[in-house]
Amino acid sequence: MHAISTDNMHTWVKQYDWTFGSSAGYEPYDWRDPFVFYDNEMDVWRMLLAARKKTGPDRRRGVTAQCISHDLINWETIEPFWDPERYIAMECPEVFKWNDWWYFVYSEFSDRFTTQYRMAKSLNGPWISPKNNSIDGRAFYAAKSLFLNGRRYFTGWIATKENESDDGAWQWAGSMFTLEAAQNKDGTLSFFIPEERIESVGQKSNYLLNERLIRADGYLSTMITQIEEKHPTYIKFTVNTKGETKDWGVLLRSSRDGNESYVVRVEMANNRLVFDRWPRKKLGSEQWQVSGDIPYFIELERQVELRQGTHSLEVLQKGSLGVAILDNQVAMSFRMYDVASGQNGIFVDDGEIELVSLETRG
C-alpha cells in the first residue's frame, strides 16, 4: 500500500489505485514488511518483502521476495532476493552498504527467533554468513537499522515473558531497545550500547577496590560489592583472566552471600556468554529438586571466541530488562522478573581474575 503527504508528513492520503497484493506463486498473507531502496547500478528502485511460497515444505517456504520499479508506483515482481529454503519466514528485510561491504539483515521467524545479517561485496551476492551472524540473542527481535551522523543503530524489541515470570514462555513484542554497531576490519559487525544511552543513566562512579585478585582453585570464588541496585543501573567490570580460568562473570540482584542471584557468565572453555539464575527452579522440598540439569537459560547464549587476557563485561538493567555487552562487541538481552532487587558481584570458577576497574551509574 502507498500513501503520500504534502504537509511535512502530518497528514497522509492513501493511494488505493497503487495497492498491490502478492504475485503468483506466493501466499497472500505473507507479503509484508516492505523495504524500498534505490539501486544505482541498475538505475531502478527495489522493494524487498517478507513472503512465503505457495508450495514446498510448510516450514521452509520463507523467502525474501523482490519487486522493481522505475516510478515507485508500478511494481514488477522479479526473482527472489534470497530463497534459502530454511525458514518459515524472514521478517523485516533490509539492505545497506557500509564502506566496501553490503549487509542483508532479516529476522528469522523459525527455530531461533533472532535478527541476523549476511555480508557481500556486491548487492547481487553471494551473501556469506559470518561465524557469529546474529545481532543479539533470542530476547532481541525484529531489529531495523539506520545511519545517523555516520553511526549505525539497530532498534528491536526485548521480548516479554508470559505471566511476567522467569519461567514464562517468550511473548510477541516487548520493550524497544537500541544497539549500536561497529564495523570490524574483516567486515563483520560488533554490537554495543550507545554511549549516550549509558551516560543518560546518571553520574559515573569509579570504585577503588581493596581486593583486586580473585582466585578459585577447584571451587567458586565470589565477591559481592556493597552497591545496592538502583533503577536503572549500569555496571561495568574490566578484568584480566589468568592461566586457564574456566568461567567468570557478574552476579545481578544477588543475596548478600551470593547464594541466590541472576548470572551473566563468560565461559572461557566453551567460548560463549550465557545468562543463568540460581537456583534455576525450585521443583519441590527435596534438596535435589532444583532443576540442576539445566546449565543456563537455553535461549540466552552467545557464541564468542575467547582468549585469556583483558575483558570487559557491562550490564544495563532497568526493571525486568537487562542488556549485557562483552568486550564491546557481543550483545545479549534478557529479562529478570522474579527478583526485583539485590546486590551486584563478580565471581570466578576454577581460575583467577584480576579486577582492573569497576564503574557504575545510576
Side-chain angles (χ1 to χ4, degrees):
M1 295 182 286
H2 198 124
I4 61 175
S5 174
T6 57
D7 59 0
N8 293 320
M9 298 188 291
H10 290 290
T11 57
W12 294 84
V13 179
K14 293 180 180 180
Q15 307 299 304
Y16 292 99
D17 293 340
W18 298 355
T19 298
F20 67 96
S22 60
S23 301
Y26 292 102
E27 292 183 357
Y29 306 108
D30 283 287
W31 188 255
R32 54 188 174 83
D33 303 350
F35 177 78
V36 177
F37 66 101
Y38 191 71
D39 183 342
N40 289 292
E41 292 185 8
M42 292 182 58
D43 191 27
V44 69
W45 291 97
R46 291 200 195 193
M47 178 190 295
L48 305 184
L49 300 119
R52 277 172 52 83
K53 295 177 291 187
K54 282 187 174 180
T55 59
D58 184 56
R59 289 185 291 275
R60 293 171 50 191
R61 295 182 192 171
V63 62
T64 303
Q66 183 175 204
C67 301
I68 59 172
S69 174
H70 294 281
D71 57 9
L72 291 175
I73 299 174
N74 300 291
W75 292 89
E76 173 192 357
T77 302
I78 61 173
E79 71 280 354
F81 185 82
W82 194 46
D83 184 7
E85 298 184 346
R86 288 181 58 190
Y87 308 121
I88 296 172
M90 293 89 70
E91 302 183 294
C92 304
E94 65 170 309
V95 297
F96 62 88
K97 190 176 184 182
W98 195 351
N99 296 324
D100 295 331
W101 287 95
W102 282 93
Y103 297 88
F104 169 40
V105 183
Y106 58 93
S107 290
E108 176 202 326
F109 181 77
S110 199
D111 58 332
R112 290 180 60 194
F113 283 93
T114 56
T115 299
Q116 303 177 9
Y117 75 95
R118 288 177 172 257
M119 309 160 47
K121 286 290 188 177
S122 166
L123 187 55
N124 297 316
W127 294 97
I128 60 176
S129 177
K131 187 173 182 179
N132 298 316
N133 72 324
S134 60
I135 311 302
D136 197 315
R138 169 63 178 88
F140 186 82
Y141 192 72
K144 298 287 285 186
S145 73
L146 58 79
F147 276 120
L148 179 63
N149 299 325
R151 296 159 67 183
R152 193 83 195 180
Y153 299 95
F154 286 76
T155 299
W157 74 60
I158 299 177
T160 52
K161 302 191 84 171
E162 196 171 49
N163 299 320
E164 296 189 342
S165 167
D166 288 341
D167 297 317
W170 292 109
Q171 294 180 307
W172 194 248
S175 305
M176 303 302 288
F177 192 80
T178 297
L179 294 168
E180 185 175 350
Q183 188 180 52
N184 303 316
K185 290 182 179 180
D186 61 358
T188 59
L189 301 179
S190 297
F191 298 93
F192 51 94
I193 304 170
E195 181 182 355
E196 294 84 350
R197 180 65 186 92
I198 295 173
E199 291 176 348
S200 72
V201 173
Q203 188 69 29
K204 179 171 69 173
S205 298
N206 292 312
Y207 283 81
L208 297 175
L209 299 163
N210 296 324
E211 185 179 358
R212 289 187 174 273
L213 198 63
I214 308 174
R215 182 183 291 111
D217 298 321
Y219 61 95
L220 182 75
S221 180
T222 303
M223 184 183 76
I224 304 296
T225 68
Q226 299 305 310
I227 308 164
E228 295 290 347
E229 180 187 343
K230 302 175 183 177
H231 297 289
T233 292
Y234 170 81
I235 185 167
K236 179 179 180 180
F237 286 99
T238 302
V239 306
N240 279 326
T241 63
K242 306 283 187 176
E244 296 297 325
T245 295
K246 182 180 178 182
D247 302 329
W248 65 277
V250 172
L251 306 179
L252 303 171
R253 307 185 183 185
S254 173
S255 58
R256 291 183 178 275
D257 59 3
N259 190 49
E260 298 183 7
S261 70
Y262 294 105
V263 182
V264 178
R265 186 168 61 247
V266 182
E267 299 184 347
M268 305 294 291
N270 296 321
N271 287 308
R272 66 188 177 194
L273 175 72
V274 305
F275 181 70
D276 199 358
R277 175 191 64 184
W278 186 255
R280 295 181 184 110
K281 186 189 294 186
K282 295 180 180 179
L283 303 176
S285 59
E286 302 301 325
Q287 186 182 37
W288 51 271
Q289 294 176 322
V290 291
S291 191
D293 58 333
I294 301 173
Y296 53 87
F297 281 71
I298 301 300
E299 306 97 338
L300 297 179
E301 62 171 324
R302 302 299 319 281
Q303 295 298 314
V304 56
E305 293 186 16
L306 294 167
R307 294 180 176 86
Q308 303 294 337
T310 302
H311 297 280
S312 66
L313 183 56
E314 52 192 313
V315 177
L316 178 67
Q317 52 184 323
K318 181 180 181 181
S320 67
L321 293 163
V323 179
I325 305 292
L326 177 63
D327 293 338
N328 219 39
Q329 63 175 330
V330 177
M332 182 178 64
S333 301
F334 49 89
R335 288 280 182 173
M336 299 177 289
Y337 284 108
D338 294 355
V339 181
S341 63
Q343 294 183 285
N344 299 289
I346 187 169
F347 72 92
V348 61
D349 178 17
D350 249 344
E352 180 178 299
I353 57 174
E354 176 192 7
L355 186 56
V356 177
S357 65
L358 169 57
E359 172 190 335
T360 65
R361 292 178 183 268

